[in-house]
Amino acid sequence: MFQIRLTIFLMLALSILPGTLAAQGSRGDDAGEYVILNAQYGSERRHVDVTNRLKELARLDRPFRISHDSLNADPDRGAAKELRVFARGPNGRERMFEFRDGSVFDGAMFRSWRRGDWGDEHWNGGWNGGRDNDAGEYVILSAQYGSERRHVDVTDRLRDMARQDLTFRLDYRTFGVDPDEGHAKSLRIFARGPNGQEQMFEYRDNSVIDGATFRGWGSGEWGHGGWSGNWNGGRGDAGEYVILSAQYGTGRSHVDVTEQLKELARQDQQFRMGNSTFGVDPDRGVVKTLRIFARGPNGRERMFEYREGSVVDGAQFRSWGRGDWANGDDRWSGRWEGEEREEGERRR
C-alpha cells in the first residue's frame, strides 16, 4: 500500500514540475526590467559590436566571465577592455552597464535574456551610449523664443522636449506660446563653448532643431544659470545700436560697404580702417571716412564716423560679430549726414 501511495505521489509531482519550471522560466531570468539594445566590447579607441555573440551566450543561460576569449573578439590587444551593454529601462530612458575584463556577467536583470529576442538594429553605435548627441561641445545656458521686441524664456520647455526626442520642427505651437503674433519668430539658444565664450544659435520658425551640438542634450542637465540675459547674447554682440547701413568715402562720392563690413565683423571685433580695408577708393586723393548708420534704443537713427587710420570697434553695435544686421526692416534714411545730425543743423 505504501509503495502504491509513493508511486502516485511521484507521478503527481512530475506532472506539476514542468508547469512550475515553465512559470519560473517566464518569470525568472527573463523577467528583468531592462531591454538590451546593443553590446560593445573593447576600449574607447577600439571597440566592436558583440550583440550577436552576447545572444549566443545568453541562450546557454548561465553566467560567464568577461574576456576576449568568451566574446570571441580582441579589438585592442594588450589594453584593458570592457563589455558595455546599452539597455532601455521601464521609464524609456537608456542606461549603460559596464563589465570589466575578468568580471562575471549574469543576465538576470535583462528582460528576455535567455530567449535572445532583443537588440536594436537602429541603435547609433556610440561607445558612450546610444545618445551620442549628449557629447556635444556646447553647454546650454538659456533658450528664448520670439522676436527682438517680444520673447519669452522657453528653457524648461526645451529641456522637456530634448528628453523625448533628438530633433523636432520649430513653430509657434512647439512651446505652446506665440509671444509676437503675426511676426516672424525664432528660437535663440545661448550656450557656452569649450573656450568659455558664450555663443548664440538661432533657429527660425519651420527649421529643424537637432541637439547633437549640445552637451547633455537628452539628459536635460543644462540651463541652470550663468546666461548674460540679453536677447542678443553676451559680450560684444550686446551693444544697443542696430546697424542699418555702412558707407565709405566723402560727401560728394561714397559707396555702400555694408556687406564688406559684415564680413569684417564676423572675423574680428576690431580693425584699423584704410583705403585697402574695403578694396575700393571712391574719391581718390581725398581723406575718406567710414560712416555707420544705426538705430538706437529710442528708435532714432544715429551716425558713427571713422576717419582713415582709425580703429573700428563693434562693441557698441548689437549682433556685430554675427553680422545679422542691415536686413529686412532695418532701413537707412539714405542721408550721408544722418537723420540726427541733419535735424540738429536745421534747428540751428
Side-chain angles (χ1 to χ4, degrees):
M1 178 64 72
F2 174 77
Q3 269 188 332
I4 293 173
R5 287 179 178 175
L6 180 60
T7 302
I8 294 171
F9 174 78
L10 290 173
M11 290 177 67
L12 286 170
L14 289 171
S15 66
I16 293 171
L17 185 59
T20 303
L21 291 175
Q24 288 178 344
S26 63
R27 295 192 306 267
D29 289 345
D30 279 5
E33 58 180 345
Y34 292 93
V35 178
I36 296 176
L37 304 174
N38 187 269
Q40 300 281 317
Y41 177 67
S43 63
E44 184 160 12
R45 65 175 182 174
R46 290 176 190 162
H47 48 274
V48 293
D49 190 305
V50 292
T51 309
N52 290 334
R53 174 56 182 161
L54 190 62
K55 286 184 178 184
E56 293 174 358
L57 292 166
R59 291 186 181 109
L60 298 174
D61 198 24
R62 61 173 178 263
F64 64 92
R65 193 171 295 279
I66 304 295
S67 72
H68 63 271
D69 290 324
S70 62
L71 294 168
N72 292 343
D74 192 350
D76 198 357
R77 291 184 183 278
K81 291 172 284 293
E82 60 194 35
L83 170 67
R84 289 190 171 184
V85 176
F86 303 93
R88 182 170 291 116
N91 59 359
R93 296 290 299 278
E94 183 182 301
R95 178 175 170 182
M96 187 264 284
F97 296 86
E98 189 174 63
F99 305 88
R100 297 189 179 276
D101 269 350
S103 61
V104 174
F105 185 96
D106 187 340
M109 70 178 76
F110 301 111
R111 190 180 309 162
S112 302
W113 166 254
R114 191 173 52 143
R115 295 198 303 274
D117 55 357
W118 35 260
D120 183 359
E121 61 181 6
H122 301 297
W123 186 74
N124 71 14
W127 173 249
N128 293 300
R131 298 299 293 268
D132 242 10
N133 54 291
D134 278 11
E137 57 181 341
Y138 292 91
V139 178
I140 296 176
L141 305 174
S142 174
Q144 305 286 316
Y145 178 67
S147 65
E148 182 162 3
R149 65 176 185 172
R150 291 177 189 161
H151 48 273
V152 294
D153 190 300
V154 292
T155 310
D156 290 338
R157 178 63 181 135
L158 182 64
R159 188 184 295 114
D160 291 340
M161 298 190 71
R163 288 180 175 133
Q164 297 169 32
D165 202 2
L166 175 59
T167 62
F168 61 89
R169 189 171 295 278
L170 177 70
D171 64 31
Y172 69 92
R173 293 164 296 188
T174 303
F175 301 112
V177 62
D178 191 345
D180 199 358
E181 291 187 14
H183 292 85
K185 290 169 284 293
S186 61
L187 169 67
R188 289 190 170 183
I189 297 177
F190 302 91
R192 182 168 290 116
N195 58 1
Q197 295 269 342
E198 182 180 304
Q199 182 165 333
M200 186 267 282
F201 298 82
E202 186 169 29
Y203 306 88
R204 297 188 181 278
D205 273 346
N206 205 42
S207 59
V208 174
I209 313 301
D210 187 334
T213 307
F214 305 108
R215 187 181 310 161
W217 172 259
S219 63
E221 297 172 356
W222 39 261
H224 302 297
W227 175 54
S228 68
N230 194 299
W231 169 250
N232 293 292
R235 302 187 180 272
D237 278 5
E240 58 180 345
Y241 292 93
V242 178
I243 296 176
L244 307 175
S245 176
Q247 304 286 318
Y248 176 65
T250 64
R252 66 178 180 178
S253 181
H254 50 271
V255 294
D256 190 300
V257 292
T258 309
E259 294 305 314
Q260 294 97 311
L261 184 63
K262 285 185 179 183
E263 292 304 315
L264 288 165
R266 291 184 181 118
Q267 295 170 32
D268 202 0
Q269 179 69 21
Q270 299 178 341
F271 63 89
R272 187 171 297 279
M273 206 265 299
N275 261 333
S276 60
T277 303
F278 301 109
V280 63
D281 189 345
D283 200 354
R284 293 185 182 278
V286 179
V287 175
K288 291 165 284 293
T289 60
L290 167 68
R291 289 190 171 182
I292 297 177
F293 302 92
R295 181 170 293 115
N298 59 0
R300 299 288 298 278
E301 181 182 303
R302 177 176 170 181
M303 184 266 286
F304 297 82
E305 186 174 70
Y306 304 88
R307 293 186 177 275
E308 286 183 15
S310 61
V311 173
V312 180
D313 186 342
Q316 59 198 324
F317 301 112
R318 191 176 305 163
S319 301
W320 170 260
R322 296 196 305 277
D324 56 356
W325 31 262
N327 298 310
D329 296 330
D330 293 334
R331 301 292 182 186
W332 171 50
S333 66
R335 303 170 187 170
W336 173 251
E337 295 298 328
E339 284 182 346
E340 288 188 357
R341 182 174 295 188
E342 289 188 348
E343 288 177 7
E345 289 175 353
R346 282 198 295 270
R347 290 192 191 100
R348 288 195 294 271

